[in-house]
Every structure is written in structure tokens, then in C-alpha cells.
Amino acid sequence: MGESTPGGRGLIAERLDTLIRAGHAAGGGPLSEREIARISREHAKAHPGAPTVSHQTVANIRDGVVRNPGVDSLRALANVFGVKLGYFLEEEDPAAQHSEGGAERPTLPSSAALNLAARLNRLFETIHPKGRGAYSSREVAEALVERGGNINESQVERLRKGMWDSTSYEHFEALASFFGVPVAYFTNDGVAAQVSVDLDLVDALKAQDVGPRQIALRAVADLDDEALQALVPVIEHLRQASNRQRM
């Protein structure tokens, strides 16, 4: 790729380009995408559980091909260059986070942060027991604490508003577990799309007030004769099991 600054390619691409140009030994020249990928793998070996990033992903982010990369990719890049995750996500220039008087300026949520917040709020809106409204931030925080988590209502609210820092990412795994979705829902666009289809189905079933019996009948009605014949023994087995359970 060329050596021109990727102006207009997006905040994340420009900041990554700055790190690549500046984050090397004097006289060593900018790091290549393959070198960055190698360093991320070495960091992961030394820190089990740390994410890695491929050289192609690095190139795609720097070129602006991927304008909203996954959280794991950004974490891996932050580890490589020794910066906080907020370097990529904060809307303001990280070097200008303090005013002339020394007071910290309020940080605006970036597009990536707002994207994660939207995914989290979708879970709040859709996944909750039948016959009641959405969970409150306090209810979710209290439930996570009961499970051994370390989060409070204020932190949940900040996540939902896209106003958080790099230390907040540890909470996403707990939130994913609470709502019954893979943690990759927050970090992987493909997984998020798949989960979104499931959430759309849940919304549709709620709107029609469809119960499990109706869902099963509709599913069976769409089967061909061969599939129905194969399903008969399974249904009989389930019926007998249900009878035994009632007895």
C-alpha cells in the first residue's frame, strides 16, 4: 500500500496509520502489517487470552476498507503499540484530552462505541421474560453481581450510552452470558448479524403472541412426507417422556 496519510478514511484508520509511522525504533522504519500481526501473536503467547490480529485485518483497517473493526482487533492493535483502547475509540484527539486549565474534557462516544451500545440496547429491548417490560440497568447489574460479577448500575448505563473506557470491555462477556448470546455478538459483525436475525424472530413471535405449541405446529406443517415419517418416532418418544414426567 502507499505511504500517503489515509485522510478521509475514518478516525480509526488515521490513528492506526499514525501509530504505524511513529511506533518503531529510530531508523527502523514503519512496521509492516505482517510485523504487527507477529507482535500481536507474541503478545498473546505471553498473555493467554489476549486477542490477535491478522496482517490482512491490519491492512484493511489502515486502508479504511474496514471502518468499524471488531473490538478484539482493536484490543490487539492497542497491545501491539502499548496504547489504551480508547485511543482508537474516543472521538476527540487522545493527545488533547485536557484543556488549558488542566481539567479533563468530556469524551464523546465514537461511532464504534455507539455501535456496541446499540447492540447492547437491542438485547435489553428484546430479551426479557414474557409478561413484563425490559430489564432495567439496575436489575441486570444486580443479577450479574449475584453471579459473581463486578459491575454496578452506573457502569451498565455508561455501556448503554456508549460512554466508557477500555476497562469496560471486561463487562461485555458477563452481559453476553446474562442475555444468552455469544460475546462475539459485540465484537464480530457476522455474529451480530446472525444474532440480529434471531432477535427479529423473537420480536415477531412476541407481536403475534405465539407460544411454543404454535411454533411446533407451524414447523411440522412445513415438512414433507419423508421428514414427517422420520419425525413420528421422535414425537412418540417425547410424548411418553412427557407422560412419565406428569405421573
Side-chain angles (χ1 to χ4, degrees):
M1 51 180 277
E3 288 299 318
S4 61
T5 301
R9 298 182 187 176
L11 177 146
I12 293 176
E14 293 173 2
R15 292 186 179 178
L16 174 58
D17 189 73
T18 298
L19 289 177
I20 291 175
R21 294 175 182 281
H24 58 84
L31 292 172
S32 69
E33 286 86 0
R34 291 187 181 277
E35 288 174 319
I36 293 171
R38 175 181 56 77
I39 295 172
S40 77
R41 292 193 298 270
E42 292 176 351
H43 184 274
K45 288 182 180 179
H47 302 82
T52 61
V53 64
S54 70
H55 73 276
Q56 188 59 59
T57 298
V58 177
N60 287 341
I61 295 173
R62 190 184 187 191
D63 289 341
V65 175
V66 176
R67 300 178 66 86
N68 188 23
V71 174
D72 281 347
S73 295
L74 295 180
R75 288 178 60 192
L77 290 170
N79 291 335
V80 168
F81 292 101
V83 298
K84 293 183 178 180
L85 191 59
Y87 171 85
F88 294 108
L89 298 178
E90 292 167 357
E91 202 67 69
E92 287 194 52
D93 184 352
Q97 285 298 306
H98 295 83
S99 64
E100 294 179 0
E104 186 173 348
R105 297 178 182 178
T107 302
L108 298 175
S110 69
S111 58
L114 290 175
N115 184 44
L116 289 177
R119 293 180 184 180
L120 176 58
N121 284 317
R122 178 75 194 282
L123 297 179
F124 270 88
E125 294 165 3
T126 305
I127 302 178
H128 53 78
K130 185 178 180 180
R132 59 152 289 168
Y135 288 111
S136 68
S137 296
R138 171 174 291 185
E139 287 177 311
V140 171
E142 290 176 349
L144 292 178
V145 169
E146 290 179 1
R147 298 183 181 189
N150 181 24
I151 191 171
N152 56 44
E153 179 185 2
S154 176
Q155 289 171 315
V156 175
E157 278 294 303
R158 286 178 60 81
L159 291 172
R160 297 183 68 179
K161 294 176 181 177
M163 302 290 291
W164 29 265
D165 55 39
S166 58
T167 62
S168 303
Y169 284 94
E170 63 192 49
H171 301 313
F172 278 107
E173 184 172 359
L175 288 164
S177 176
F178 177 85
F179 287 108
V181 300
V183 69
Y185 167 74
F186 293 111
T187 63
N188 185 290
D189 289 342
V191 174
Q194 294 173 359
V195 173
S196 181
V197 172
D198 295 336
L199 296 177
D200 289 340
L201 177 60
V202 172
D203 283 335
L205 295 178
K206 284 181 180 178
Q208 300 178 30
D209 195 25
V210 178
R213 185 180 296 274
Q214 287 83 357
I215 296 173
L217 289 174
R218 290 181 182 181
V220 170
D222 290 335
L223 298 177
D224 57 29
D225 291 341
E226 184 177 354
L228 285 172
Q229 188 65 30
L231 190 60
V232 169
V234 178
I235 294 176
E236 180 62 22
H237 173 76
L238 292 175
R239 185 186 67 80
Q240 294 175 0
S242 179
N243 289 338
R244 287 195 298 269
Q245 186 176 20
R246 283 197 296 269
M247 293 174 61

